[in-house]
PDB file of all heavy atoms in Angstrom:
ATOM      1  N   LEU A   1     150.511  36.388 124.603  1.00 90.00           N
ATOM      2  CA  LEU A   1     150.547  35.340 123.598  1.00 90.00           C
ATOM      3  C   LEU A   1     151.880  34.767 123.361  1.00 90.00           C
ATOM      4  O   LEU A   1     152.800  35.447 123.086  1.00 90.00           O
ATOM      5  CB  LEU A   1     149.979  35.809 122.285  1.00 90.00           C
ATOM      6  CG  LEU A   1     148.348  35.807 121.967  1.00 90.00           C
ATOM      7  CD1 LEU A   1     148.241  36.012 120.472  1.00 90.00           C
ATOM      8  CD2 LEU A   1     147.709  34.583 122.461  1.00 90.00           C
ATOM      9  N   THR A   2     152.045  33.449 123.514  1.00 90.00           N
ATOM     10  CA  THR A   2     153.357  32.881 123.405  1.00 90.00           C
ATOM     11  C   THR A   2     153.773  33.046 121.924  1.00 90.00           C
ATOM     12  O   THR A   2     154.907  33.187 121.589  1.00 90.00           O
ATOM     13  CB  THR A   2     153.270  31.341 123.619  1.00 90.00           C
ATOM     14  OG1 THR A   2     152.206  30.745 123.055  1.00 90.00           O
ATOM     15  CG2 THR A   2     153.299  31.199 125.175  1.00 90.00           C
ATOM     16  N   SER A   3     152.810  33.081 120.940  1.00 91.00           N
ATOM     17  CA  SER A   3     153.242  33.252 119.602  1.00 91.00           C
ATOM     18  C   SER A   3     153.615  34.795 119.253  1.00 91.00           C
ATOM     19  O   SER A   3     154.214  35.015 118.227  1.00 91.00           O
ATOM     20  CB  SER A   3     151.953  32.855 118.726  1.00 91.00           C
ATOM     21  OG  SER A   3     150.902  33.751 118.971  1.00 91.00           O
ATOM     22  N   MET A   4     153.399  35.526 120.191  1.00 93.00           N
ATOM     23  CA  MET A   4     153.889  36.979 119.978  1.00 93.00           C
ATOM     24  C   MET A   4     154.737  37.536 121.084  1.00 93.00           C
ATOM     25  O   MET A   4     154.241  38.337 121.822  1.00 93.00           O
ATOM     26  CB  MET A   4     152.512  37.801 119.771  1.00 93.00           C
ATOM     27  CG  MET A   4     152.681  38.984 118.869  1.00 93.00           C
ATOM     28  SD  MET A   4     152.883  38.540 117.244  1.00 93.00           S
ATOM     29  CE  MET A   4     153.375  40.133 116.482  1.00 93.00           C
ATOM     30  N   PRO A   5     155.830  36.985 121.198  1.00 94.00           N
ATOM     31  CA  PRO A   5     156.738  37.444 122.422  1.00 94.00           C
ATOM     32  C   PRO A   5     157.245  39.002 122.172  1.00 94.00           C
ATOM     33  O   PRO A   5     157.235  39.376 121.006  1.00 94.00           O
ATOM     34  CB  PRO A   5     157.885  36.581 122.482  1.00 94.00           C
ATOM     35  CG  PRO A   5     157.941  35.998 121.028  1.00 94.00           C
ATOM     36  CD  PRO A   5     156.557  36.063 120.517  1.00 94.00           C
ATOM     37  N   PRO A   6     157.618  39.644 123.144  1.00 94.00           N
ATOM     38  CA  PRO A   6     158.176  41.016 122.933  1.00 94.00           C
ATOM     39  C   PRO A   6     159.360  40.899 121.947  1.00 94.00           C
ATOM     40  O   PRO A   6     160.172  39.916 121.961  1.00 94.00           O
ATOM     41  CB  PRO A   6     158.588  41.412 124.254  1.00 94.00           C
ATOM     42  CG  PRO A   6     157.854  40.659 125.276  1.00 94.00           C
ATOM     43  CD  PRO A   6     157.552  39.276 124.549  1.00 94.00           C
ATOM     44  N   SER A   7     159.490  41.917 121.150  1.00 93.00           N
ATOM     45  CA  SER A   7     160.431  42.104 120.107  1.00 93.00           C
ATOM     46  C   SER A   7     161.454  42.997 120.479  1.00 93.00           C
ATOM     47  O   SER A   7     161.096  44.205 121.027  1.00 93.00           O
ATOM     48  CB  SER A   7     159.877  42.376 118.673  1.00 93.00           C
ATOM     49  OG  SER A   7     160.778  43.283 117.924  1.00 93.00           O
ATOM     50  N   PRO A   8     162.791  42.998 120.290  1.00 92.00           N
ATOM     51  CA  PRO A   8     163.787  43.979 120.653  1.00 92.00           C
ATOM     52  C   PRO A   8     163.570  45.294 119.780  1.00 92.00           C
ATOM     53  O   PRO A   8     164.045  46.313 120.250  1.00 92.00           O
ATOM     54  CB  PRO A   8     165.115  43.407 120.162  1.00 92.00           C
ATOM     55  CG  PRO A   8     164.869  42.220 119.369  1.00 92.00           C
ATOM     56  CD  PRO A   8     163.376  41.708 119.648  1.00 92.00           C
ATOM     57  N   GLU A   9     162.878  45.225 118.769  1.00 92.00           N
ATOM     58  CA  GLU A   9     162.616  46.422 117.924  1.00 92.00           C
ATOM     59  C   GLU A   9     161.590  47.444 118.487  1.00 92.00           C
ATOM     60  O   GLU A   9     161.487  48.572 118.218  1.00 92.00           O
ATOM     61  CB  GLU A   9     162.087  46.195 116.614  1.00 92.00           C
ATOM     62  CG  GLU A   9     163.092  45.387 115.683  1.00 92.00           C
ATOM     63  CD  GLU A   9     162.539  44.630 114.541  1.00 92.00           C
ATOM     64  OE1 GLU A   9     161.651  45.440 113.810  1.00 92.00           O
ATOM     65  OE2 GLU A   9     162.764  43.458 114.356  1.00 92.00           O
ATOM     66  N   TYR A  10     160.766  46.729 119.396  1.00 92.00           N
ATOM     67  CA  TYR A  10     159.656  47.522 120.104  1.00 92.00           C
ATOM     68  C   TYR A  10     159.791  47.479 121.642  1.00 92.00           C
ATOM     69  O   TYR A  10     160.237  46.660 122.176  1.00 92.00           O
ATOM     70  CB  TYR A  10     158.180  46.916 119.670  1.00 92.00           C
ATOM     71  CG  TYR A  10     158.037  47.062 118.257  1.00 92.00           C
ATOM     72  CD1 TYR A  10     158.313  46.151 117.330  1.00 92.00           C
ATOM     73  CD2 TYR A  10     157.357  48.164 117.694  1.00 92.00           C
ATOM     74  CE1 TYR A  10     157.974  46.196 115.934  1.00 92.00           C
ATOM     75  CE2 TYR A  10     156.873  48.385 116.334  1.00 92.00           C
ATOM     76  CZ  TYR A  10     157.332  47.364 115.507  1.00 92.00           C
ATOM     77  OH  TYR A  10     156.974  47.525 114.217  1.00 92.00           O
ATOM     78  N   CYS A  11     159.037  48.606 122.134  1.00 88.00           N
ATOM     79  CA  CYS A  11     158.959  48.634 123.544  1.00 88.00           C
ATOM     80  C   CYS A  11     157.561  48.073 123.987  1.00 88.00           C
ATOM     81  O   CYS A  11     156.594  48.820 123.545  1.00 88.00           O
ATOM     82  CB  CYS A  11     159.113  50.018 124.024  1.00 88.00           C
ATOM     83  SG  CYS A  11     158.914  50.334 125.849  1.00 88.00           S
ATOM     84  N   ARG A  12     157.385  46.906 124.429  1.00 88.00           N
ATOM     85  CA  ARG A  12     156.001  46.266 124.678  1.00 88.00           C
ATOM     86  C   ARG A  12     155.380  47.078 125.847  1.00 88.00           C
ATOM     87  O   ARG A  12     155.914  47.173 126.928  1.00 88.00           O
ATOM     88  CB  ARG A  12     156.284  44.837 125.040  1.00 88.00           C
ATOM     89  CG  ARG A  12     155.056  44.001 125.420  1.00 88.00           C
ATOM     90  CD  ARG A  12     153.989  43.797 124.305  1.00 88.00           C
ATOM     91  NE  ARG A  12     154.430  43.422 123.048  1.00 88.00           N
ATOM     92  CZ  ARG A  12     154.425  42.023 122.668  1.00 88.00           C
ATOM     93  NH1 ARG A  12     154.092  41.103 123.516  1.00 88.00           N
ATOM     94  NH2 ARG A  12     154.839  41.681 121.483  1.00 88.00           N
ATOM     95  N   ASN A  13     154.255  47.612 125.531  1.00 86.00           N
ATOM     96  CA  ASN A  13     153.485  48.256 126.480  1.00 86.00           C
ATOM     97  C   ASN A  13     152.238  47.495 126.915  1.00 86.00           C
ATOM     98  O   ASN A  13     151.654  46.631 126.195  1.00 86.00           O
ATOM     99  CB  ASN A  13     153.140  49.697 125.942  1.00 86.00           C
ATOM    100  CG  ASN A  13     153.394  50.805 127.040  1.00 86.00           C
ATOM    101  OD1 ASN A  13     153.120  50.637 128.131  1.00 86.00           O
ATOM    102  ND2 ASN A  13     154.029  51.807 126.536  1.00 86.00           N
ATOM    103  N   GLU A  14     151.647  47.985 128.023  1.00 86.00           N
ATOM    104  CA  GLU A  14     150.455  47.270 128.524  1.00 86.00           C
ATOM    105  C   GLU A  14     149.238  48.143 128.660  1.00 86.00           C
ATOM    106  O   GLU A  14     149.418  49.351 129.174  1.00 86.00           O
ATOM    107  CB  GLU A  14     150.671  46.464 129.769  1.00 86.00           C
ATOM    108  CG  GLU A  14     151.572  45.295 129.543  1.00 86.00           C
ATOM    109  CD  GLU A  14     151.470  44.250 130.726  1.00 86.00           C
ATOM    110  OE1 GLU A  14     150.549  44.447 131.498  1.00 86.00           O
ATOM    111  OE2 GLU A  14     152.178  43.239 130.724  1.00 86.00           O
ATOM    112  N   ILE A  15     148.078  47.646 128.385  1.00 88.00           N
ATOM    113  CA  ILE A  15     146.769  48.412 128.709  1.00 88.00           C
ATOM    114  C   ILE A  15     146.153  47.592 129.721  1.00 88.00           C
ATOM    115  O   ILE A  15     145.820  46.363 129.518  1.00 88.00           O
ATOM    116  CB  ILE A  15     145.871  48.451 127.431  1.00 88.00           C
ATOM    117  CG1 ILE A  15     146.523  49.313 126.292  1.00 88.00           C
ATOM    118  CG2 ILE A  15     144.454  49.046 127.758  1.00 88.00           C
ATOM    119  CD1 ILE A  15     145.901  49.406 125.047  1.00 88.00           C
ATOM    120  N   SER A  16     145.975  48.191 130.930  1.00 88.00           N
ATOM    121  CA  SER A  16     145.326  47.416 132.097  1.00 88.00           C
ATOM    122  C   SER A  16     143.842  47.443 131.896  1.00 88.00           C
ATOM    123  O   SER A  16     143.138  46.462 132.190  1.00 88.00           O
ATOM    124  CB  SER A  16     145.878  47.979 133.297  1.00 88.00           C
ATOM    125  OG  SER A  16     145.451  49.464 133.440  1.00 88.00           O
ATOM    126  N   CYS A  17     143.352  48.478 131.498  1.00 92.00           N
ATOM    127  CA  CYS A  17     141.927  48.554 131.315  1.00 92.00           C
ATOM    128  C   CYS A  17     141.499  49.769 130.433  1.00 92.00           C
ATOM    129  O   CYS A  17     141.844  50.862 130.672  1.00 92.00           O
ATOM    130  CB  CYS A  17     141.157  48.710 132.651  1.00 92.00           C
ATOM    131  SG  CYS A  17     139.407  49.005 132.565  1.00 92.00           S
ATOM    132  N   ALA A  18     140.820  49.553 129.338  1.00 94.00           N
ATOM    133  CA  ALA A  18     140.289  50.679 128.541  1.00 94.00           C
ATOM    134  C   ALA A  18     139.180  50.209 127.706  1.00 94.00           C
ATOM    135  O   ALA A  18     138.677  49.082 127.752  1.00 94.00           O
ATOM    136  CB  ALA A  18     141.450  51.064 127.495  1.00 94.00           C
ATOM    137  N   GLY A  19     138.514  51.161 126.987  1.00 96.00           N
ATOM    138  CA  GLY A  19     137.309  50.687 126.188  1.00 96.00           C
ATOM    139  C   GLY A  19     136.325  51.818 125.981  1.00 96.00           C
ATOM    140  O   GLY A  19     136.468  52.893 126.456  1.00 96.00           O
ATOM    141  N   PHE A  20     135.123  51.321 125.451  1.00 97.00           N
ATOM    142  CA  PHE A  20     134.096  52.331 125.178  1.00 97.00           C
ATOM    143  C   PHE A  20     132.728  51.805 125.756  1.00 97.00           C
ATOM    144  O   PHE A  20     132.624  50.584 125.798  1.00 97.00           O
ATOM    145  CB  PHE A  20     133.788  52.366 123.590  1.00 97.00           C
ATOM    146  CG  PHE A  20     134.970  52.889 122.855  1.00 97.00           C
ATOM    147  CD1 PHE A  20     135.971  52.014 122.318  1.00 97.00           C
ATOM    148  CD2 PHE A  20     135.131  54.242 122.575  1.00 97.00           C
ATOM    149  CE1 PHE A  20     137.023  52.462 121.529  1.00 97.00           C
ATOM    150  CE2 PHE A  20     136.307  54.707 121.945  1.00 97.00           C
ATOM    151  CZ  PHE A  20     137.273  53.856 121.333  1.00 97.00           C
ATOM    152  N   GLN A  21     131.976  52.670 126.115  1.00 98.00           N
ATOM    153  CA  GLN A  21     130.593  52.531 126.543  1.00 98.00           C
ATOM    154  C   GLN A  21     129.702  53.306 125.575  1.00 98.00           C
ATOM    155  O   GLN A  21     130.040  54.538 125.469  1.00 98.00           O
ATOM    156  CB  GLN A  21     130.218  52.801 127.972  1.00 98.00           C
ATOM    157  CG  GLN A  21     130.808  51.768 128.975  1.00 98.00           C
ATOM    158  CD  GLN A  21     130.345  51.999 130.459  1.00 98.00           C
ATOM    159  OE1 GLN A  21     129.853  53.159 130.750  1.00 98.00           O
ATOM    160  NE2 GLN A  21     130.330  50.984 131.163  1.00 98.00           N
ATOM    161  N   ILE A  22     128.728  52.811 124.873  1.00 97.00           N
ATOM    162  CA  ILE A  22     127.958  53.609 123.957  1.00 97.00           C
ATOM    163  C   ILE A  22     126.490  53.544 124.417  1.00 97.00           C
ATOM    164  O   ILE A  22     125.909  52.534 124.452  1.00 97.00           O
ATOM    165  CB  ILE A  22     128.145  52.954 122.563  1.00 97.00           C
ATOM    166  CG1 ILE A  22     129.638  52.941 122.156  1.00 97.00           C
ATOM    167  CG2 ILE A  22     127.395  53.807 121.449  1.00 97.00           C
ATOM    168  CD1 ILE A  22     129.962  51.940 121.153  1.00 97.00           C
ATOM    169  N   TYR A  23     125.952  54.745 124.665  1.00 96.00           N
ATOM    170  CA  TYR A  23     124.582  54.853 125.191  1.00 96.00           C
ATOM    171  C   TYR A  23     123.742  55.503 124.111  1.00 96.00           C
ATOM    172  O   TYR A  23     124.039  56.424 123.441  1.00 96.00           O
ATOM    173  CB  TYR A  23     124.495  55.770 126.328  1.00 96.00           C
ATOM    174  CG  TYR A  23     125.124  55.126 127.591  1.00 96.00           C
ATOM    175  CD1 TYR A  23     126.416  55.337 127.935  1.00 96.00           C
ATOM    176  CD2 TYR A  23     124.352  54.473 128.587  1.00 96.00           C
ATOM    177  CE1 TYR A  23     126.957  54.809 129.099  1.00 96.00           C
ATOM    178  CE2 TYR A  23     124.788  53.971 129.644  1.00 96.00           C
ATOM    179  CZ  TYR A  23     126.156  54.180 129.973  1.00 96.00           C
ATOM    180  OH  TYR A  23     126.656  53.569 131.191  1.00 96.00           O
ATOM    181  N   SER A  24     122.568  54.988 123.923  1.00 93.00           N
ATOM    182  CA  SER A  24     121.510  55.495 122.840  1.00 93.00           C
ATOM    183  C   SER A  24     121.048  56.715 123.508  1.00 93.00           C
ATOM    184  O   SER A  24     120.612  56.791 124.619  1.00 93.00           O
ATOM    185  CB  SER A  24     120.396  54.613 122.675  1.00 93.00           C
ATOM    186  OG  SER A  24     120.862  53.477 121.950  1.00 93.00           O
ATOM    187  N   ASP A  25     121.131  57.891 122.750  1.00 88.00           N
ATOM    188  CA  ASP A  25     120.438  59.120 123.193  1.00 88.00           C
ATOM    189  C   ASP A  25     119.129  59.409 122.732  1.00 88.00           C
ATOM    190  O   ASP A  25     118.190  59.742 123.299  1.00 88.00           O
ATOM    191  CB  ASP A  25     121.321  60.393 122.663  1.00 88.00           C
ATOM    192  CG  ASP A  25     122.393  60.702 123.755  1.00 88.00           C
ATOM    193  OD1 ASP A  25     122.375  60.267 124.850  1.00 88.00           O
ATOM    194  OD2 ASP A  25     123.268  61.610 123.361  1.00 88.00           O
ATOM    195  N   SER A  26     119.027  59.072 121.360  1.00 80.00           N
ATOM    196  CA  SER A  26     117.801  59.271 120.662  1.00 80.00           C
ATOM    197  C   SER A  26     117.717  58.422 119.444  1.00 80.00           C
ATOM    198  O   SER A  26     118.728  57.551 119.264  1.00 80.00           O
ATOM    199  CB  SER A  26     117.636  60.763 120.229  1.00 80.00           C
ATOM    200  OG  SER A  26     118.556  61.000 119.267  1.00 80.00           O
ATOM    201  N   ASN A  27     116.859  58.508 118.434  1.00 79.00           N
ATOM    202  CA  ASN A  27     116.771  57.755 117.306  1.00 79.00           C
ATOM    203  C   ASN A  27     118.081  58.110 116.343  1.00 79.00           C
ATOM    204  O   ASN A  27     118.306  57.412 115.416  1.00 79.00           O
ATOM    205  CB  ASN A  27     115.467  57.955 116.542  1.00 79.00           C
ATOM    206  CG  ASN A  27     114.377  57.265 117.268  1.00 79.00           C
ATOM    207  OD1 ASN A  27     114.588  56.339 118.064  1.00 79.00           O
ATOM    208  ND2 ASN A  27     113.164  57.714 117.120  1.00 79.00           N
ATOM    209  N   SER A  28     118.555  59.343 116.668  1.00 88.00           N
ATOM    210  CA  SER A  28     119.549  59.603 115.594  1.00 88.00           C
ATOM    211  C   SER A  28     120.985  59.999 116.268  1.00 88.00           C
ATOM    212  O   SER A  28     121.969  60.384 115.513  1.00 88.00           O
ATOM    213  CB  SER A  28     119.074  60.916 114.967  1.00 88.00           C
ATOM    214  OG  SER A  28     118.951  61.955 115.816  1.00 88.00           O
ATOM    215  N   SER A  29     121.089  59.894 117.497  1.00 94.00           N
ATOM    216  CA  SER A  29     122.502  60.279 118.090  1.00 94.00           C
ATOM    217  C   SER A  29     122.686  59.234 119.300  1.00 94.00           C
ATOM    218  O   SER A  29     121.814  58.518 119.808  1.00 94.00           O
ATOM    219  CB  SER A  29     122.461  61.620 118.666  1.00 94.00           C
ATOM    220  OG  SER A  29     121.685  61.820 119.753  1.00 94.00           O
ATOM    221  N   CYS A  30     123.957  59.277 119.827  1.00 95.00           N
ATOM    222  CA  CYS A  30     124.375  58.417 120.898  1.00 95.00           C
ATOM    223  C   CYS A  30     125.624  59.166 121.670  1.00 95.00           C
ATOM    224  O   CYS A  30     126.220  60.058 121.191  1.00 95.00           O
ATOM    225  CB  CYS A  30     124.790  57.016 120.463  1.00 95.00           C
ATOM    226  SG  CYS A  30     126.240  57.040 119.416  1.00 95.00           S
ATOM    227  N   MET A  31     125.769  58.663 122.754  1.00 96.00           N
ATOM    228  CA  MET A  31     126.838  59.105 123.714  1.00 96.00           C
ATOM    229  C   MET A  31     127.990  58.060 123.658  1.00 96.00           C
ATOM    230  O   MET A  31     127.665  57.002 124.123  1.00 96.00           O
ATOM    231  CB  MET A  31     126.443  59.414 125.084  1.00 96.00           C
ATOM    232  CG  MET A  31     127.471  59.757 126.068  1.00 96.00           C
ATOM    233  SD  MET A  31     128.254  61.339 125.867  1.00 96.00           S
ATOM    234  CE  MET A  31     126.939  62.367 126.643  1.00 96.00           C
ATOM    235  N   VAL A  32     129.077  58.489 123.158  1.00 97.00           N
ATOM    236  CA  VAL A  32     130.159  57.421 123.203  1.00 97.00           C
ATOM    237  C   VAL A  32     131.228  57.858 124.358  1.00 97.00           C
ATOM    238  O   VAL A  32     131.653  59.089 124.364  1.00 97.00           O
ATOM    239  CB  VAL A  32     131.044  57.559 121.837  1.00 97.00           C
ATOM    240  CG1 VAL A  32     132.282  56.644 122.073  1.00 97.00           C
ATOM    241  CG2 VAL A  32     130.096  56.971 120.781  1.00 97.00           C
ATOM    242  N   CYS A  33     131.458  56.969 125.304  1.00 97.00           N
ATOM    243  CA  CYS A  33     132.319  57.306 126.386  1.00 97.00           C
ATOM    244  C   CYS A  33     133.659  56.446 126.193  1.00 97.00           C
ATOM    245  O   CYS A  33     133.439  55.241 126.197  1.00 97.00           O
ATOM    246  CB  CYS A  33     131.608  56.997 127.807  1.00 97.00           C
ATOM    247  SG  CYS A  33     130.323  58.051 128.096  1.00 97.00           S
ATOM    248  N   TYR A  34     134.700  57.031 126.207  1.00 95.00           N
ATOM    249  CA  TYR A  34     135.978  56.250 126.180  1.00 95.00           C
ATOM    250  C   TYR A  34     136.590  56.380 127.503  1.00 95.00           C
ATOM    251  O   TYR A  34     136.782  57.325 128.082  1.00 95.00           O
ATOM    252  CB  TYR A  34     136.901  56.800 125.063  1.00 95.00           C
ATOM    253  CG  TYR A  34     138.347  56.186 125.062  1.00 95.00           C
ATOM    254  CD1 TYR A  34     138.482  54.963 124.520  1.00 95.00           C
ATOM    255  CD2 TYR A  34     139.423  56.935 125.623  1.00 95.00           C
ATOM    256  CE1 TYR A  34     139.812  54.443 124.663  1.00 95.00           C
ATOM    257  CE2 TYR A  34     140.689  56.312 125.627  1.00 95.00           C
ATOM    258  CZ  TYR A  34     140.782  55.064 125.169  1.00 95.00           C
ATOM    259  OH  TYR A  34     142.049  54.523 125.227  1.00 95.00           O
TER     260      TYR A  34
END
C-alpha cells in the first residue's frame, strides 16, 4: 500500500500464503486447519 511504506523502526516482513480452512464436523464441533 503506498499509504503504508516500510518504516525504519520496523523490519517489513511478507506473508506469501497463509490462512484457515474450517470444516463442519457435526452440529457442535468443527475442524480448523491453519
Side-chain angles (χ1 to χ4, degrees):
L1 268 195
T2 46
S3 59
M4 209 67 193
S7 142
E9 295 158 50
Y10 290 93
C11 177
R12 176 65 51 91
N13 227 315
E14 287 204 8
I15 294 172
S16 57
C17 174
F20 300 93
Q21 288 189 338
I22 304 155
Y23 289 89
S24 295
D25 266 357
S26 67
N27 289 335
S28 59
S29 72
C30 64
M31 169 75 76
V32 174
C33 297
Y34 171 73

